[in-house]
Amino acid sequence: MASKKRRREERPTIHPKNKYAENPPDFALLASLYPSFEPFVFYSRDGRPRINWTDFNATRELTRILLLHDHGLNWWIPDGQLCPTVPNRSNYIHWIEDLLSSDIIPKSDIRGSNVRGFDIGTGANCIYPLLGASLLGWSFVGSDVTDVALESAEKNIKSNPQISELIEIRKVESCHNTSSSKEPHNGEPALVESKLDVSGHTDEEAEPLPLPSYDQSTAANKSYHGPPILSGVVRDGEKFDFCMCNPPFFETMEDAGLNPKTSCGGTPEEMVCPGGERAFISRIIEDSVELKQTFRWYTSMVGRKLNLKFLISKLREVGVTIVKTTEFVQGQTSRWGLAWSFVPPARKIVSPHVAEKKNLSFMLEGVQRQFSAVDVLHSIESFFCSSGASCKLNASLFTIDITALKDHCNAILKKNVVNHVDEASSIQHLQEASNSSSCLDTPNSLRFHVSVFQQIPGTLLMKGSLHRDNVLPGLFSSIFQQLEEDLRYKFCR
């Protein structure tokens, strides 16, 4: 019982930058301030104000007044259109903000601080451009197919002149010859798959979308047939910092109606496509292979964790540079975020000061619960032994003594599993390390000692020290950095 309670407490929470992280919507206060919302509020037996989440009019009015009260935005959608929840959509915006501000890939200074995004299927609600522009001053292109969505999105933009110049709505011409038939490209940079979330960690207890009636394995083989998504919509020469998407989660409208607890509306164009979200996001992946660095980050929301694993596998096939995942939480509802990039990841440069050190250390934080210090210790042994180095492991002391010949060191630095950069970059990295150490002299080996220390749950300290008879700290620091990246890739969320 205690274990179950502990797991529930460890679930990811709303993004800390979200306006509603510390102050969730106060229905009673909103009802007193906005008479149009008051009829939708009732009080439970414990005196708490609530709304009927199965009532589309109630959820639409809540979204309208939240955007007005908290964001100063005028907003409306026609009956039947998809009604977004403001806190959940804000989570997605802030996650992208974290991606753009991180050093995962080199920052772009081409447009200065003018961030430009592309909202795939912006819908009548146009929620992401409105939030991104009002919260962060980003500019957007929002695409859609139906006239109702395009007209309503334009009305929402014009109703907010303070940000209207930041948002462009682009019509996608319907085309029926857009099946997914592109083959994965070979020879691309290797994948960095990371579950180290920018806003939280994934959790097995999160409530997924209701399981559909169709066979998931069959759906995985279905191709997308529908209007263009990115290729054919993005114009020649355009550059974007990111794209984002709330994809059609379902394959049929019957599947979309399986959750009796909510009513968010939604047309068939917004909710379904053949193959569901797997096919739709797979098409985004295929378009990204063609467009490459037209976007610095490609992102999409994912409704089922099973599909997240499938899509990460697909990204591995096409050879993207890096992948990030996160979980978006609102109440008992969870969605997942998937992001990938073809921009080569930022590579840490070993400073001359660090290169001279014979004792190095790093903290391994966010180690997943199923892994222990013993697992990390054996992984270190495997990392060096796989390149031919000699290792002597002491499991009781959590230490390893490593002896690596010149060829072994070269093999470690040539590994493209951890740096995840193209071959040319790997060769350059090797040459830099060799130059800094003036190559291996007599004796023709590098000998060092690695220790693993448990700090707090989920955090390990790694210490590495050169043996006294070694005079090659530059090469040691490069190899130790490579080890750090390998361990983070394997064990951290």
Side-chain angles (χ1 to χ4, degrees), residues 385-402:
C385 287
S386 64
S387 298
S390 173
C391 298
K392 185 178 180 181
L393 184 148
N394 189 324
S396 61
L397 296 177
F398 291 92
T399 62
I400 303 178
D401 286 290
I402 298 114

Side-chain angles (χ1 to χ4, degrees), residues 284-349:
I284 299 177
I285 293 173
E286 292 166 1
D287 282 358
S288 74
V289 173
E290 179 181 335
L291 295 170
K292 289 287 178 33
Q293 295 186 34
T294 298
F295 293 83
R296 294 174 53 72
W297 285 101
Y298 296 86
T299 78
S300 180
M301 192 178 286
V302 182
R304 297 189 182 91
K305 200 168 189 178
L306 177 64
N307 288 340
L308 183 67
K309 296 176 181 179
F310 170 85
L311 293 164
I312 290 174
S313 176
K314 189 172 182 66
L315 287 167
R316 188 185 302 275
E317 294 175 8
V318 303
V320 303
T321 305
I322 190 166
V323 169
K324 299 291 287 184
T325 63
T326 193
E327 184 176 357
F328 303 119
V329 176
Q330 181 187 358
Q332 294 301 310
T333 301
S334 289
R335 301 289 182 265
W336 288 268
L338 177 64
W340 65 98
S341 177
F342 288 94
V343 176
R347 181 161 54 83
K348 298 175 184 177
I349 303 300

Side-chain angles (χ1 to χ4, degrees), residues 32 81 106 116 275 316 388 426 441 483:
S32 67
Q81 299 294 307
R116 192 179 189 212
R316 188 185 302 275
S426 293
D441 300 318
L483 173 64

Side-chain angles (χ1 to χ4, degrees), residues 213-248:
S213 58
Y214 62 91
D215 189 335
Q216 289 276 4
S217 61
T218 302
N221 297 321
K222 292 188 178 181
S223 297
Y224 171 75
H225 295 270
I229 297 179
L230 287 176
S231 294
V233 182
V234 175
R235 295 166 183 163
D236 291 344
E238 282 191 309
K239 292 287 186 180
F240 294 89
D241 292 284
F242 67 90
C243 68
M244 61 193 310
C245 180
N246 196 60

Side-chain angles (χ1 to χ4, degrees), residues 345-413:
R347 181 161 54 83
K348 298 175 184 177
I349 303 300
V350 180
S351 69
H353 173 68
V354 173
E356 294 303 318
K357 286 188 175 181
K358 293 188 177 183
N359 296 289
L360 299 172
S361 65
F362 63 86
M363 198 76 75
L364 199 64
E365 298 176 302
V367 177
Q368 297 180 66
R369 290 193 297 269
Q370 66 266 35
F371 298 120
S372 67
V374 174
D375 297 313
V376 174
L377 193 69
H378 284 291
S379 181
I380 295 172
E381 180 185 37
S382 176
F383 174 81
F384 289 107
C385 287
S386 64
S387 298
S390 173
C391 298
K392 185 178 180 181
L393 184 148
N394 189 324
S396 61
L397 296 177
F398 291 92
T399 62
I400 303 178
D401 286 290
I402 298 114
T403 301
L405 301 178
K406 178 179 179 180
D407 290 343
H408 304 153
C409 294
N410 290 347
I412 292 169
L413 291 174

Side-chain angles (χ1 to χ4, degrees), residues 448-463:
F448 54 97
H449 179 86
V450 177
S451 303
V452 179
F453 299 90
Q454 178 81 47
Q455 298 295 293
I456 58 175
T459 301
L460 300 173
L461 173 64
M462 308 292 151
K463 288 187 176 181

